[in-house]
Amino acid sequence: MAAKETPKNLHYLFVSCPSGVERLLDEEVRAILPKTHIEVLRGGIALKSDLEGVMKLNLECRLAQRVLIELISGGYRHEDDIYALARRIDWTQWITPAETIRVDTTARHSPLQSLNFANLRVKDAICDVLRDATGERPSVDTRFPDLPVMMHLSETDATLYIDTSGEPLFKRGWREDKGDAPLKETLAAAMLAAAGWKGTPETGGALHDPCCGSGTIAVEAAQIACGMAAGMQRRFSFEKQLPFVPLRGRWQAIKQAAKDREHAPAVPIFCSDVSFRMVDFARRNAERAGVAQYIQFNGGDALERPAPELPEGMPGTIMMNPPYGERIEVRGKAGNVQMSRDAYGSEARDGGDDFFPRLASHWKRAYTLNPAGWTAWLLCPDMKLPSKMRLKESRKFPMWNGPIECRLFRFDLIKGSARKPRGGEDQHPEEGAPQS
């Protein structure tokens, strides 16, 4: 197959994301690039865009992992076919010999024995094209390459991409202080997006994270409420790639336009943690993110802290990634429990078995007094969590916290008995596209 045509300077893009987030990413990208045709695939979305759109996606996307430009796709049986495919690309349009490269490969049912050897063949093709054109070869930089190249191998086809993001997009540039099990910024953003929380009184109201750790959820929420672009504080690999050099002035204008739209939030944001050390981490991260003045930080056990006071008529949203055995120990009043053995024979705390029922009881006492109501969203791998909490969830979303399959449960906190569920579990997105 020949390299794809790009009419009107459009490029074929694959914007990758964690499993289960594809449809949320679809909605986000439609807001960033209106009137764009998008195809929802496994592990991301596909679309056509010009290079200005590539820059906007990198700057604005909160849910994406990478923005990839597809260069060529074709069938293969062994590594020599991959070399031949990569040699058909004019790499001089993307890089000079003075710059550096790195090649990474993902695969799904590939018959090749070694992905490292496949990487090497692509690297050889890039170097040979440049040597034939200029007499020199570029170097490899495995940490911070000027041109990251990605290849995806299906059972029969190889596809080559330029990675315009560089470091994955969850690295926003502000989180330096981390806890024992930091939540990725993209997952925090996905939790907020799944809840429909957009930082206004009409879209979730106030935001409270009572198990804030290093503050990822609160900082993401504050930036959303302030209209801040996700990638304003970081660099992207496209900034060094040759096709983007003529667009440097436009890139500065895009960033300035994003900066000009920032504003004070319309809703209060609260976060607290039983560990005062983590609260300090959260505050320092928020300072680097430019939103510390918009978040109220507190110490204290999630089982004891009273509900934050809200403006009259404003609803509230609890958004939390609580401690659970596979991730981090339960601390505070629910942490003083006996050790047990998990399904694999390893020691594990049973703190979660006590923590969650007590959390539900605390919610019923402290969060059902607000006339405008509180809605709680809780990320947990325990599919039986609602029955343990004696609460009836009104919705649940499948999500992955790294390798851990979780559900984001919604609980409507009202006085008396819980409401009946309004819907079942959201379905997994369509399959059949490359995971990049």
Side-chain angles (χ1 to χ4, degrees):
M1 182 186 296
K4 289 187 177 181
E5 298 291 332
T6 53
K8 298 182 182 179
N9 296 318
L10 295 182
H11 297 264
Y12 287 81
L13 309 183
F14 184 75
V15 184
S16 62
C17 68
S19 178
V21 180
E22 293 91 344
R23 295 200 178 277
L24 297 174
L25 177 61
D26 174 35
E27 294 176 12
E28 180 183 49
V29 170
R30 289 181 189 279
I32 297 169
L33 301 178
K35 300 181 181 178
T36 299
H37 175 73
I38 297 173
E39 185 180 2
V40 178
L41 303 172
R42 181 182 180 275
I45 61 171
L47 65 147
K48 295 179 185 178
S49 173
D50 59 15
L51 296 182
E52 184 172 321
V54 171
M55 295 189 293
K56 289 181 178 178
L57 291 174
N58 275 291
L59 180 65
E60 302 283 0
C61 277
R62 293 192 172 276
L63 304 176
Q65 290 178 320
R66 300 181 186 276
V67 180
L68 308 176
I69 295 179
E70 182 177 335
L71 297 181
I72 195 169
S73 184
Y76 76 99
R77 291 187 178 180
H78 45 72
E79 291 83 356
D80 289 343
D81 298 328
I82 290 173
Y83 174 85
L85 188 70
R87 279 220 60 160
R88 290 161 59 185
I89 299 169
D90 184 2
W91 295 101
T92 63
Q93 295 183 6
W94 288 94
I95 192 174
T96 71
E99 294 162 322
T100 58
I101 62 172
R102 183 185 70 208
V103 181
D104 293 290
T105 298
T106 61
R108 185 173 176 82
H109 305 306
S110 172
L112 297 185
Q113 297 298 312
S114 172
L115 298 186
N116 287 333
F117 187 52
N119 288 342
L120 181 62
R121 296 303 283 150
V122 175
K123 187 267 295 181
D124 288 343
I126 297 172
C127 291
D128 290 348
V129 167
L130 284 165
R131 183 190 57 193
D132 291 347
T134 69
E136 299 180 74
R137 297 164 59 101
S139 300
V140 172
D141 184 340
T142 59
R143 294 193 63 195
F144 302 108
D146 298 313
L147 187 72
V149 177
M150 297 197 69
M151 178 169 60
H152 178 74
L153 301 175
S154 69
E155 187 172 2
T156 58
D157 291 290
T159 306
L160 286 165
Y161 303 89
I162 296 295
D163 177 6
T164 67
S165 303
E167 289 195 292
L169 293 177
F170 76 82
K171 295 186 177 182
R172 311 284 204 227
W174 51 259
R175 188 169 70 175
E176 296 181 12
D177 294 286
K178 302 178 182 179
D180 296 330
L183 185 74
K184 284 186 178 179
E185 293 86 334
T186 43
L187 180 54
M191 293 166 65
L192 293 163
W197 193 91
K198 297 180 181 179
T200 69
E202 299 77 26
T203 57
L207 193 285
H208 177 37
D209 180 1
C211 292
C212 71
S214 57
T216 308
I217 292 174
V219 171
E220 284 290 313
Q223 288 198 335
I224 291 170
C226 293
M228 292 182 174
M232 188 64 78
Q233 295 176 261
R234 56 162 284 167
R235 302 296 297 270
F236 305 95
S237 64
F238 72 75
E239 295 179 66
K240 293 185 177 181
Q241 294 166 4
L242 294 182
F244 293 90
V245 171
L247 300 176
R248 284 176 178 169
R250 185 60 192 142
W251 171 232
Q252 295 304 316
I254 289 171
K255 289 198 294 183
Q256 187 59 51
K259 188 70 177 176
D260 291 344
R261 73 162 190 254
E262 294 178 5
H263 56 82
V267 297
I269 296 170
F270 308 87
C271 72
S272 59
D273 197 274
V274 68
S275 166
F276 284 89
R277 174 172 170 267
M278 297 311 301
V279 175
D280 187 48
F281 281 5
R283 183 180 289 107
R284 295 207 297 259
N285 284 331
E287 288 171 353
R288 281 185 290 270
V291 294
Q293 67 271 37
Y294 303 125
I295 302 173
Q296 297 185 39
F297 300 91
N298 294 288
D301 197 326
L303 303 180
E304 295 182 329
R305 279 205 64 81
E309 293 187 11
L310 305 184
E312 185 176 355
M314 180 177 290
T317 296
I318 300 171
M319 184 66 63
M320 60 187 295
N321 177 38
Y324 40 84
E326 295 174 80
R327 185 180 150 269
I328 191 171
E329 292 180 354
V330 175
R331 298 174 182 173
K333 297 194 89 173
N336 298 322
V337 294
Q338 298 296 316
M339 299 297 291
S340 63
R341 296 280 173 179
D342 63 17
Y344 301 97
S346 301
E347 284 191 331
R349 287 183 178 268
D350 286 333
D353 290 338
D354 186 47
F355 175 80
F356 291 114
R358 295 180 64 177
L359 180 65
S361 297
H362 177 61
W363 282 352
K364 292 175 183 177
R365 290 192 304 269
Y367 287 84
T368 57
L369 303 179
N370 179 19
W374 281 87
T375 301
W377 295 82
L378 193 154
L379 186 71
C380 187
D382 189 348
M383 308 305 166
K384 298 180 180 179
L385 180 68
S387 62
K388 289 184 177 180
M389 298 181 74
R390 297 184 179 88
L391 292 175
K392 198 174 285 287
E393 82 276 12
S394 59
R395 203 168 184 183
K396 56 184 175 180
F397 286 86
M399 286 191 175
W400 289 81
N401 186 359
I404 305 172
E405 183 178 4
C406 297
R407 294 294 182 271
L408 180 65
F409 295 97
R410 169 177 168 162
F411 301 101
D412 299 310
L413 306 182
I414 60 173
K415 205 163 186 65
S417 60
R419 298 175 186 169
K420 294 181 179 180
R422 288 199 296 266
E425 180 173 329
D426 284 21
Q427 298 299 310
H428 285 286
E430 299 169 5
E431 297 191 356
Q435 183 80 276
S436 297

